[in-house]
């Protein structure tokens, strides 16, 4: 599960090298993102990467937010099926947080830009996004059993262009580094 993440200026500068966009004032500061916040997403529009804003969470009929979608069932669930076929995106982040009694920060080993997979939809003039999650890899499983689906960089275009989606949804994410918080070794 991913319930909070952050995006720092360094990662935004990396993003600017990959995507032609103009910094907006609200993206110029390091920021933690929470469900229901407006977040930046990357979409493919006519074979050109575009940065767009979306509200984090798919609204349900009873006003709840679905902030994560499981990769294992994404193509089966009617609530997500259309979006995974037509509206895939990447969500830029510097890292994300998980809790196991303590707060842990996860980043990639280079402390560079992470691109989490997501799906988005447009509802009543508002773009909404949810983060695709998968089973935790070895670097994460002692803290939580789920994590964002983060593809190797060379696979991101396949995700955005709807190529090999079933295989991509089974991808084991890259190893991450805990940059704050620590695991206590068992005494037994």
């Amino acid at each position: 599960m991913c319930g909070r993440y952050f995006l720092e200026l360094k990662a935004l500068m990396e993003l600017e090298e990959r995507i032609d966009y103009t910094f907006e004032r609200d993206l110029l500061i390091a920021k933690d993102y929470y469900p229901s916040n407006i977040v930046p997403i990357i979409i493919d529009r006519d074979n050109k990467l575009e940065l767009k804003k979306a509200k984090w969470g798919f609204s349900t009929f009873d006003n709840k937010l679905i902030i994560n979608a499981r990769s294992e069932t994404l193509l089966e669930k009617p609530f997500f099926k259309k979006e995974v076929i037509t509206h895939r995106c990447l969500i830029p982040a510097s890292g994300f947080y998980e809790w196991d009694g303590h707060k842990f920060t996860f980043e990639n080993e280079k402390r560079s830009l992470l691109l989490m997979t997501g799906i988005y939809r447009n509802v009543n003039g508002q773009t909404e996004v949810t983060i695709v999650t998968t089973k935790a890899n070895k670097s994460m499983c002692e803290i939580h059993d789920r994590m964002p689906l983060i593809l190797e960089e060379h696979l991101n275009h396949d995700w955005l262009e709807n190529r090999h989606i079933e295989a991509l949804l089974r991808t084991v994410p890259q190893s991450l580094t805990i940059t704050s918080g620590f695991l206590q070794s068992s005494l037994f």
Side-chain angles (χ1 to χ4, degrees), residues 56-69:
W56 182 11
F58 279 14
S59 300
T60 63
F61 68 93
D62 57 354
N63 278 341
K64 293 183 180 175
L65 285 180
I66 298 176
I67 62 170
N68 298 140

Side-chain angles (χ1 to χ4, degrees), residues 159-171:
W159 175 254
L160 292 173
E161 295 171 5
N162 198 20
R163 292 192 304 243
H164 318 293
I165 295 299
E166 288 183 30
L168 293 175
L169 290 171
R170 292 188 304 269
T171 301

Side-chain angles (χ1 to χ4, degrees), residues 131-146:
I131 296 172
V132 176
T133 63
T134 190
K135 293 177 185 172
N137 63 18
K138 288 181 182 179
S139 63
M140 178 87 191
C141 65
E142 290 187 50
I143 307 298
H144 201 283
D145 62 345
R146 307 287 304 164

Side-chain angles (χ1 to χ4, degrees), residues 168-186:
L168 293 175
L169 290 171
R170 292 188 304 269
T171 301
V172 176
Q174 61 184 320
S175 288
L176 300 173
T177 301
I178 298 173
T179 56
S180 72
F182 63 92
L183 291 174
Q184 181 174 343
S185 298
S186 174

Side-chain angles (χ1 to χ4, degrees), residues 87-103:
H87 292 115
R88 290 157 319 286
C89 65
L90 297 168
I91 302 152
S94 296
F96 61 92
Y97 306 107
E98 285 299 344
W99 286 262
D100 181 18
H102 302 289
K103 179 179 168 184

Side-chain angles (χ1 to χ4, degrees), residues 2 4 20 27 33 48 54-56 59 61 69 97 104 115 117 119 130 152 155-156 160 175-176:
C2 182
R4 192 165 131 205
D20 184 25
L27 287 179
Y33 288 104
K48 183 178 178 190
K55 181 184 86 173
W56 182 11
S59 300
F61 68 93
Y97 306 107
F104 292 90
L115 295 172
T117 59
I119 55 175
T130 189
E152 297 292 333
L155 296 173
N156 286 329
L160 292 173
S175 288
L176 300 173

Side-chain angles (χ1 to χ4, degrees), residues 2 4-12 14-15 18 31-33 39-42 51 56 90-97 106-108 111-117 131 148 150 174 176:
C2 182
R4 192 165 131 205
Y5 71 93
F6 62 99
L7 183 59
E8 296 174 333
L9 184 58
K10 177 185 171 205
L12 282 169
E14 256 187 87
L15 185 59
R18 299 181 192 186
K31 187 170 184 177
D32 280 5
Y33 288 104
V39 302
I41 64 172
I42 302 165
L51 193 69
W56 182 11
L90 297 168
I91 302 152
S94 296
F96 61 92
Y97 306 107
F106 289 89
E107 297 178 64
N108 66 23
R111 288 190 156 182
S112 58
L113 180 67
L114 290 175
L115 295 172
M116 302 181 290
T117 59
I131 296 172
I150 302 165
Q174 61 184 320
L176 300 173

Side-chain angles (χ1 to χ4, degrees), residues 39-53:
V39 302
I41 64 172
I42 302 165
I43 63 169
D44 182 280
R45 187 181 306 264
D46 302 322
N47 295 318
K48 183 178 178 190
L49 297 180
E50 182 179 305
L51 193 69
K52 184 175 178 147
K53 291 182 179 179

